Amino acid sequence: MMIPRLVLLLTLVTFSMNLKAEKIYKIAISSSCPYYCTNGDKQGYIVELLNKFFKKHSIKVKYETTPYARLEDSLKRGTKDLALFTSFDLRDFSDLMIYDVTLGVSSAGIISRVGTNPVILDIIDLKDKSIFLVPGSKASENLYGEVRKINTNKSILQLITGSRIHNRLIDLIALGRADYAIEDYNVLKYFYSKTEFQDKVLLTPSSIFGYSPLKFVSRKGLPIEKTVQDNLKEFIEDYRKSGKLNILLKKYNIIDWNIVLTR
């Protein structure tokens, strides 16, 4: 009887090890090129970077499109293992693991009609302007609240939701439906480069959001936590030094975030 029990024990151990090896980690990320693309033949530069890193460490991952406003809840509920946030949204995340690596930087961009040449340095510069915003992040929520305080006509501040948001932002400004559309500069730049309305609208960078590094976050105690914390930052730095990061970012029409953060 001893040998069959030993065989059974070894079988269970092997089965358990195989289950552990086959673990697929779910990464929650909101759909927004150039970070993460869900339409067309491009994946997004962050996805391409992470795929190379996780493949190197034999870690299986799956990207799941998640509205930005639901990223935190998806981690806390355990339906997702990791997620990508702007640092602006991480001020109250003491119960989550924030990895010491930057994957990009978010700042504001402004779409306006050609000929307007907006200079937006402070909230007051948006007084009585009609504005389109995309809800979800604390940066946009904060801007929404501050602009409502200074605008006399509350109806001229609108939140845009649904599909093809960034294309629609550009289209609506081209049609003269508002003065400005304000959203992440890199995202607007990606879609602006493809729009047929470049003769009608222009894209202007702004520091109104500040500059917020993009950070990888997970539930604490994740089995791959140490691997990511100890190796991802070095992996990206090596990728930068090799020149491969610059080649990747050029594919998405953006510059290295290190240049932005050290200006």
Side-chain angles (χ1 to χ4, degrees):
M1 293 296 291
M2 192 66 181
I3 293 178
R5 288 182 178 177
L6 181 59
V7 171
L8 177 60
L9 179 61
L10 289 174
T11 301
L12 289 173
V13 170
T14 302
F15 181 70
S16 176
M17 290 176 65
N18 286 337
L19 282 179
K20 185 176 181 181
E22 293 299 318
K23 165 71 175 176
I24 299 177
Y25 292 92
K26 297 178 181 178
I27 300 178
I29 189 167
S30 55
S31 178
S32 53
C33 282
Y35 307 120
Y36 169 52
C37 308
T38 53
N39 295 314
D41 57 351
K42 291 183 178 179
Q43 297 175 300
Y45 82 82
I46 285 181
V47 173
E48 290 196 40
L49 267 178
L50 292 178
N51 279 343
K52 295 179 186 302
F53 171 76
F54 286 122
K55 183 177 181 180
K56 178 180 179 180
H57 292 276
S58 301
I59 297 170
K60 294 185 178 181
V61 297
K62 178 182 179 182
Y63 301 92
E64 298 195 350
T65 304
T66 308
Y68 195 90
R70 299 180 186 172
L71 291 178
E72 181 181 359
D73 184 61
S74 70
L75 289 182
K76 292 183 175 180
R77 290 169 62 89
T79 57
K80 305 295 189 294
D81 298 300
L82 305 108
L84 187 74
F85 292 86
T86 65
S87 297
F88 192 88
D89 292 305
L90 298 179
R91 295 174 183 177
D92 301 316
F93 277 27
S94 59
D95 54 340
L96 294 172
M97 174 66 187
I98 303 171
Y99 294 92
D100 181 26
V101 59
T102 297
L103 292 164
V105 63
S106 176
S107 61
I110 298 174
I111 295 290
S112 64
R113 292 276 296 182
V114 166
T116 55
N117 299 318
V119 179
I120 310 300
L121 302 176
D122 204 326
I123 297 293
I124 196 64
D125 296 322
L126 298 174
K127 183 175 174 59
D128 293 329
K129 298 294 184 180
S130 54
I131 302 168
F132 290 133
L133 290 174
V134 177
S137 70
K138 289 180 181 176
S140 63
E141 289 174 1
N142 180 65
L143 184 61
Y144 182 84
E146 292 300 313
V147 171
R148 280 181 65 87
K149 292 178 183 178
I150 63 171
N151 273 349
T152 56
N153 183 355
K154 306 301 183 185
S155 66
I156 63 177
L157 184 62
Q158 299 182 51
L159 298 176
I160 302 299
T161 60
S163 61
R164 297 182 63 254
I165 290 179
H166 300 100
N167 285 316
R168 285 166 51 216
L169 285 176
I170 295 171
D171 295 350
L172 288 168
I173 297 300
L175 292 171
R177 301 292 177 81
D179 294 311
Y180 305 141
I182 304 176
E183 173 60 326
D184 180 285
Y185 177 75
N186 284 333
V187 176
L188 289 179
K189 185 178 179 182
Y190 182 86
F191 287 95
Y192 177 77
S193 68
K194 300 175 181 299
T195 184
E196 60 185 86
F197 294 125
Q198 287 189 17
D199 61 328
K200 295 183 178 180
V201 301
L202 58 88
L203 171 62
T204 308
S206 173
S207 59
I208 196 167
F209 281 173
Y211 295 92
S212 186
L214 302 178
K215 295 292 185 179
F216 218 19
V217 179
S218 76
R219 292 178 285 112
K220 288 186 176 179
L222 209 63
I224 61 171
E225 181 180 298
K226 181 172 174 56
T227 300
V228 176
Q229 179 70 358
D230 291 351
N231 299 287
L232 181 55
K233 186 175 183 179
E234 181 180 359
F235 172 83
I236 292 177
E237 187 56 35
D238 289 344
Y239 210 67
R240 175 178 285 115
K241 290 177 180 178
S242 71
K244 293 179 181 178
L245 179 62
N246 187 48
I247 293 173
L248 174 61
L249 296 180
K250 278 188 175 180
K251 185 168 113 176
Y252 290 93
N253 194 33
I254 59 174
I255 62 174
D256 189 341
W257 54 90
N258 262 15
I259 296 174
V260 177
L261 292 173
T262 54
R263 279 176 175 171

